[in-house]
Amino acid sequence: MTATDPTDFSALLPYNVKSIVEGWIHDDMPSFDVGGLVVGNDQKTAHLFMKSSGVFAGKPFFDLVFQTLGCQVEWNEDLACEGVHKEITEKVCLATVTGPVHMILRGERTALNTMSRCSGVASLSREAADRAKSLGWEGWVAGTRKTTPGFRIVEKYGLLVGGAATHRLDLSQMVMLKDNHIWACGSITSAVKLARKAAGFSQKIEVECQSLEEAMEAAEAGADIVMLDNFEPSQLKNDAATFKQKFPNVLVEASGGITTTTMPDYLCPHVDIVSQGKLTQGYPCVDFSLKITH
């Protein structure tokens, strides 16, 4: 994805995103809103400003917050384009929100929190994806399932807008057999065979491996992806090359403490995916504000 050719991912969002947004609003106002009483219900307009640099993301969540509260959002479509990195030297007005003033203020913090975090994920994802691409690597930079409970859909959306892969969205999408699964089941082979009975042909199976021998066993049992977890870069490259000689069609994922800074050490033609938990755990927020016109 480039700044001149961003993709609109909003149509991906499930119907229940509305109830998720309602839950956020309820969480912020479980009882009386005295501040809302103070300002009243006159019709007012507020301006949304982007105040720090980053990849803009989270537009549909902002819309849904204010739609739920009976307000209208009008975007400056020339400026408010998701997936575009904006270099901010002075604050930029991206949208106006119109509605009863107590409803605007009721949604203000929830909408801003959501968008600042979504843009933070997108910005960090763009940095990682661009870094990998600049080195000529053609694989996938991916997030992980290390997301915030109740906020997963925003963080996964931010990964996509930023140009990274989401990895599996949840426990029901793709089978991931980690060390605890293997230990509880007894062996990699037993775990993969049982998982395949349930998953059939429609789901991929990935196995977390601590050694080349485990990766070989997983592939021989029918795994589609092997994760080489917590390998040193030199060991990873050597073992991935050896593995691909025998299983060229099984994907290899590198994972475990990898950051955008250290990622180049792990990239090679035999590694298909590099995943980073930090993309949804250690992202900086992008600064936005919403100001009532007065």
Side-chain angles (χ1 to χ4, degrees):
M1 181 191 302
T2 67
T4 57
D5 186 28
T7 300
D8 181 2
F9 289 105
S10 62
L12 280 175
L13 296 172
Y15 182 78
N16 75 325
V17 70
K18 296 178 182 178
S19 63
I20 293 172
V21 170
E22 289 171 355
W24 296 339
I25 295 170
H26 176 76
D27 179 67
D28 199 36
M29 187 191 163
S31 184
F32 293 150
D33 174 14
V34 176
L37 173 68
V38 170
V39 299
N41 60 3
D42 289 348
Q43 290 284 312
K44 296 285 185 179
T45 296
H47 296 284
L48 169 68
F49 295 101
M50 187 173 182
K51 299 167 62 181
S52 65
S53 300
V55 175
F56 174 58
K59 191 174 178 181
F61 305 107
F62 189 92
D63 279 336
L64 279 169
V65 168
F66 287 108
Q67 178 184 316
T68 300
L69 293 169
C71 301
Q72 293 76 46
V73 179
E74 184 175 348
W75 293 95
N76 182 338
E77 297 296 348
D78 291 335
L79 297 175
C81 187
E82 283 196 308
V84 173
H85 183 280
K86 305 191 75 63
E87 201 62 40
I88 303 297
T89 54
E90 294 183 4
K91 64 182 182 181
V92 175
C93 182
L94 299 183
T96 58
V97 182
T98 304
V101 63
H102 69 301
M103 290 299 190
I104 294 176
L105 297 182
R106 193 166 290 173
E108 174 192 10
R109 182 43 52 195
T110 297
L112 294 177
N113 284 352
T114 304
M115 196 157 59
S116 68
R117 285 159 174 77
C118 192
S119 296
V121 173
S123 300
L124 203 59
S125 300
R126 175 64 53 78
E127 180 185 350
D130 283 355
R131 178 69 172 134
K133 186 177 180 180
S134 73
L135 296 170
W137 188 62
E138 298 181 354
W140 293 92
V141 174
T144 69
R145 207 164 58 85
K146 295 176 181 177
T147 54
T148 308
F151 204 63
R152 178 202 319 257
I153 196 166
V154 178
E155 291 168 339
K156 292 291 193 181
Y157 185 85
L159 287 169
L160 282 176
V161 173
T166 61
H167 215 295
R168 60 176 180 159
L169 297 177
D170 48 52
L171 286 172
S172 298
Q173 188 192 54
M174 194 173 80
V175 180
M176 172 78 81
L177 301 175
K178 299 176 75 67
D179 51 9
N180 285 321
H181 296 92
I182 305 305
W183 296 333
C185 186
S187 73
I188 288 174
T189 299
S190 297
V192 172
K193 294 294 187 184
L194 181 56
R196 183 59 70 196
K197 284 184 179 180
F201 65 88
S202 63
Q203 283 186 296
K204 288 185 177 180
I205 296 174
E206 179 169 9
V207 179
E208 179 184 88
C209 303
Q210 312 301 321
S211 67
L212 174 60
E213 291 71 27
E214 289 187 354
M216 292 291 195
E217 181 183 351
E220 287 168 355
D224 303 288
I225 309 169
V226 295
M227 176 195 290
L228 303 185
D229 192 38
N230 290 310
F231 281 50
E232 291 297 322
S234 59
Q235 180 191 5
L236 172 82
K237 291 177 179 179
N238 289 334
D239 287 353
T242 301
F243 177 85
K244 282 288 193 175
Q245 286 178 355
K246 187 171 183 181
F247 298 102
N249 296 320
V250 176
L251 297 178
V252 172
E253 175 181 347
S255 189
I258 300 173
T259 67
T260 299
T261 301
T262 63
M263 181 180 63
D265 296 334
Y266 294 84
L267 303 182
C268 71
H270 307 294
V271 171
D272 304 289
I273 306 147
V274 172
S275 56
Q276 294 187 36
K278 186 178 180 181
L279 297 183
T280 53
Q281 281 191 316
Y283 55 89
C285 292
V286 176
D287 192 14
F288 294 90
S289 66
L290 188 69
K291 298 298 182 183
I292 298 289
T293 302
H294 63 284

